[in-house]
Amino acid sequence: MSEASTARKLQLDGVHNIRDLGGLLRDDRRTTRRGRAYRACGMDGLSAAGEAALLRTGVGHVIDLRSPAEIAAIPGPFHTHPGRREVSLFEGLAPLAQCLRQAPQAGLANRYILALKQAPAQFARVFRLIAQPGDRPVLFHCTAGKDRTGLIAALLLALNQVEYEQIVQDYAATATLGADLLARLRARALLRGDEPALVEQALRSDAATMAQVLTWIDSHHGSVAGYLSATGLDADSLDRLARML
């Protein structure tokens, strides 16, 4: 994990994987702007002090990428935030365990690519929300802050011309920055009786996984902008997204 990933982590009581997407190197050798977009895990452990600190960043939009069942079970501290919106990003996809069993060698990369192919409307909705006019920062999150959040972060960074090596390392950083949370999720899954091998595979965040996804996007759509355009995202939204960071 790079020092840049650690530096971008928000030190908030009760959570382990909230990061600023600023400070990453772009193709033009400049870095992305800080304080514009944050990627996060589930925030149910956030203390009152941590919540207050997060609000002081000026976050105006909160996009919850979890399923309705996940939200009902653990609403989280921002459930009543006026700028909060819900988009069940992986809605309609086959269960993760089934996906991993069917393509064990492809692992999570196959899962992410299936999501991009089968849920274009959800991706378009998320990016329309991120692209809403206004100058207030956006925060998007799921449960671990790794899969759904990792995909959205990777696409947003790619739109802002961040080097692919930086993008895949940002994805991989969850393994260390979110280690405590991942340990809790692992224990919870094993207590449910989930298969240990599948649990370990599901909780991985290897850089090679996101590299495969970005390669697939480029080979099938030319670029991330090409993919999002194919989902129906309009040119004005794409332009705002490309200038966001």
Side-chain angles (χ1 to χ4, degrees):
M1 181 183 62
S2 68
E3 291 183 9
S5 296
T6 304
R8 293 185 296 106
K9 180 182 177 182
L10 272 63
Q11 303 297 330
L12 302 174
D13 294 337
V15 291
H16 306 283
N17 195 20
I18 300 183
R19 280 173 268 156
D20 191 331
L21 290 185
L24 289 166
L25 197 63
R26 292 163 32 101
D27 290 337
D28 61 7
R29 312 311 293 171
R30 294 186 295 170
T31 55
T32 51
R33 292 171 58 196
R34 291 186 180 273
R36 303 303 306 141
Y38 300 93
R39 55 172 296 167
C41 55
M43 294 177 285
D44 51 291
L46 193 64
S47 68
E51 183 178 350
L54 186 53
L55 286 172
R56 284 197 295 273
T57 66
V59 167
H61 307 288
V62 177
I63 305 172
D64 193 331
L65 304 172
R66 299 176 297 163
S67 70
E70 289 174 284
I71 294 169
I74 307 176
F78 283 81
H79 191 64
T80 58
H81 190 287
R84 181 179 173 276
R85 299 292 184 271
E86 298 176 11
V87 183
S88 182
L89 190 64
F90 284 0
E91 187 74 28
L93 268 65
L96 175 57
Q98 179 181 326
C99 181
L100 294 176
R101 286 194 193 96
Q102 289 175 343
Q105 299 305 315
L108 286 173
N110 186 56
R111 171 74 165 177
Y112 299 163
I113 291 167
L114 283 174
L116 291 166
K117 292 195 292 188
Q118 296 179 9
Q122 288 98 297
F123 281 91
R125 175 161 165 70
V126 170
F127 280 97
R128 285 192 189 98
L129 290 170
I130 295 175
Q132 285 180 344
D135 199 40
R136 299 194 68 187
V138 63
L139 179 146
F140 49 90
H141 77 96
C142 54
T143 295
K146 179 175 76 71
D147 304 309
R148 292 161 289 189
T149 295
L151 270 174
I152 297 301
L155 299 187
L156 181 58
L157 291 171
L159 282 172
N160 282 268
Q161 306 302 313
V162 173
E163 295 179 341
Y164 276 10
E165 178 61 24
Q166 297 271 301
I167 295 173
V168 302
Q169 290 304 323
D170 178 66
Y171 169 76
T174 290
T176 301
L177 297 181
D180 290 344
L181 172 60
L182 294 174
R184 291 204 304 272
L185 294 174
R186 179 181 294 105
R188 192 182 304 168
L190 294 175
L191 190 62
R192 284 197 307 263
D194 294 353
E195 297 176 39
L198 291 180
V199 171
E200 293 307 316
Q201 192 173 4
L203 293 177
R204 295 178 69 89
S205 57
D206 299 332
T209 295
M210 191 55 69
Q212 286 179 255
V213 174
L214 293 171
T215 297
W216 180 87
I217 292 173
D218 285 348
S219 64
H220 286 77
H221 296 278
S223 65
V224 168
Y227 168 76
L228 289 173
S229 180
T231 70
L233 203 66
D234 60 273
D236 185 53
S237 292
L238 280 170
D239 182 61
R240 284 201 298 273
L241 289 164
R243 291 184 288 106
M244 183 174 180
L245 300 177

